[in-house]
Structures are given as C-alpha cells and as structure tokens.
C-alpha cells in the first residue's frame, strides 16, 4: 500500500487516471484544491497485509470512500465511467469488505472493454480516502457526447454527486464551458 501523496504513483502504469490525477495535485502543492487524505491498495495486497495496514492507519471514527482506479480507467481510449463500484460513507470496520467489493466489480467491465477494444483488467488498484460531506459536488465532462456538443461541461448537484454520476439524478446546474 502507498499513501496518495507518494510521487511514484504519478509515473508508470501502476494505477489509473483517478489516482494519478489526485497524486499529481497533491505533489504540485494542492493547486488550491483540498484533496482528502488517502492511500492505494494494490491488487497483490493480501487480506492480512491490508488488515495490518488499516489497524495502524485508519481512524475508527472516520468514514471512507472506497474507489476503483483501474489502469485503463479514466484514460484517453475509455473512461469506464459507471463500470466499477464506488462505496461511500464506509465505516472503518467495513473498509476491508468494501475493498473486496470494489475489486470484484472489475468483472462488470469485460463487455465494455471488449466493445472499445481496450485492455480489460481483472485486478485493479483501489483508492481509500477520508470521506468528505460536500455542500455541492459535480462532474467535469470533456464534452457532451449525448448532445454532440464538443465544449466541456460542468454539472453539479447539492450534496454528494453519486446519483448524478450514476445517472439517477439530473444536475441542479449544468454549465457549458466554451473552448477558446
């Protein structure tokens, strides 16, 4: 396991775009963004190693977000958006089970990867971060594929954005950002 701020996470193909992006922001001094404390669990980590790490590093009074970060995920060829499980508001005692559930969700994306002709990973890194309870949260889209709009778009909702990301809630605000 490695802490999210470790520079080695930015280089190579050990993790997906989500972890690389967050690690890059942390290593650039935050760039004005507050990134919740977190760590990465790699596919080869055993249940025993995970348990030992959690016992020493996880606050029993804190809630956690347990998220996928497959190597092909959030990439140029494919986003894998909605393909892998994310667990929010996870109690410390439930983190090991949530890690296992997120790992198992890699099987959900087999057909998606085949359709796009990209590599499918059956084992992927998992990101564990301290949970944040936001006033607003959103998604930055590089384009609006549904409406053939090539301009980037920012959509957000009050509270957590999990329902927005999952497609079960429409954005409270949607802003098209014209390309220069």
């Amino acid at each position: 396991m490695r802490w999210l701020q470790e520079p080695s996470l930015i280089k190579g193909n050990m993790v997906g775009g989500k972890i690389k992006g967050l690690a890059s922001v942390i290593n650039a001094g935050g760039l004005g963004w507050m990134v919740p404390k977190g760590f990465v669990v790699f596919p080869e980590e055993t249940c025993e190693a995970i348990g030992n790490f959690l016992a020493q590093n996880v606050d029993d009074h804190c809630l956690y977000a347990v998220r996928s970060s497959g190597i092909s995920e959030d990439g140029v060829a494919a986003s894998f958006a909605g393909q892998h499980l994310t667990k929010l508001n996870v109690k410390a005692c439930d983190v090991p089970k949530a890690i296992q559930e997120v790992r198992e969700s890699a099987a959900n994306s087999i057909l998606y990867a085949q359709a796009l002709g990209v590599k499918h990973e059956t084992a992927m890194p998992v990101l564990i971060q301290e949970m944040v309870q936001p006033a607003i949260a959103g998604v930055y889209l590089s384009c609006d594929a549904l409406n053939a709009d090539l301009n980037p778009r920012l959509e957000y909702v009050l509270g957590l954005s999990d329902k927005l990301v999952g497609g079960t809630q429409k954005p409270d605000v949607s802003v098209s950002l014209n390309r220069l």
Side-chain angles (χ1 to χ4, degrees):
M1 278 144 284
R2 296 197 185 159
W3 290 103
L4 191 53
Q5 67 267 21
E6 288 190 27
S8 64
L9 293 174
I10 300 168
K11 301 173 186 160
N13 289 328
M14 299 184 329
V15 296
K18 186 179 300 163
I19 291 173
K20 279 185 181 184
L22 292 169
S24 295
V25 169
I26 291 170
N27 281 281
L31 302 173
W33 297 89
M34 293 177 55
V35 178
K37 181 179 170 185
F39 60 92
V40 180
V41 176
F42 292 94
E44 65 274 8
E45 310 279 5
T46 65
C47 291
E48 183 179 353
I50 293 169
N52 290 338
F53 184 87
L54 294 175
Q56 296 173 19
N57 295 290
V58 170
D59 180 351
D60 289 338
H61 305 291
C62 192
L63 294 175
Y64 294 89
V66 181
R67 310 168 70 195
S68 67
S69 189
I71 294 166
S72 324
E73 193 175 351
D74 298 324
V76 175
S79 72
F80 284 83
Q83 300 296 312
H84 301 133
L85 186 63
T86 293
K87 303 287 283 185
L88 302 177
N89 293 313
V90 177
K91 293 179 184 177
C93 63
D94 295 329
V95 168
K97 180 180 177 196
I99 291 170
Q100 186 60 36
E101 290 174 358
V102 171
R103 283 177 164 175
E104 290 171 356
S105 75
N108 296 344
S109 59
I110 294 171
L111 294 176
Y112 175 80
Q114 288 173 345
L116 293 175
V118 297
K119 181 182 175 188
H120 177 262
E121 304 156 36
T122 55
M124 65 183 161
V126 176
L127 172 62
I128 292 85
Q129 287 182 281
E130 291 182 359
M131 190 68 205
V132 175
Q133 300 300 333
I136 61 170
V139 178
Y140 173 83
L141 306 164
S142 56
C143 69
D144 183 351
L146 295 177
N147 297 309
D149 181 356
L150 297 179
N151 290 310
R153 180 167 226 69
L154 179 63
E155 296 182 342
Y156 61 91
V157 294
L158 298 177
L160 291 171
S161 65
D162 55 329
K163 290 181 180 72
L164 174 64
V165 172
T168 60
Q169 180 179 355
K170 293 191 182 289
D172 292 325
V173 176
S174 183
V175 178
S176 180
L177 307 169
N178 293 326
R179 292 191 192 273
L180 299 175

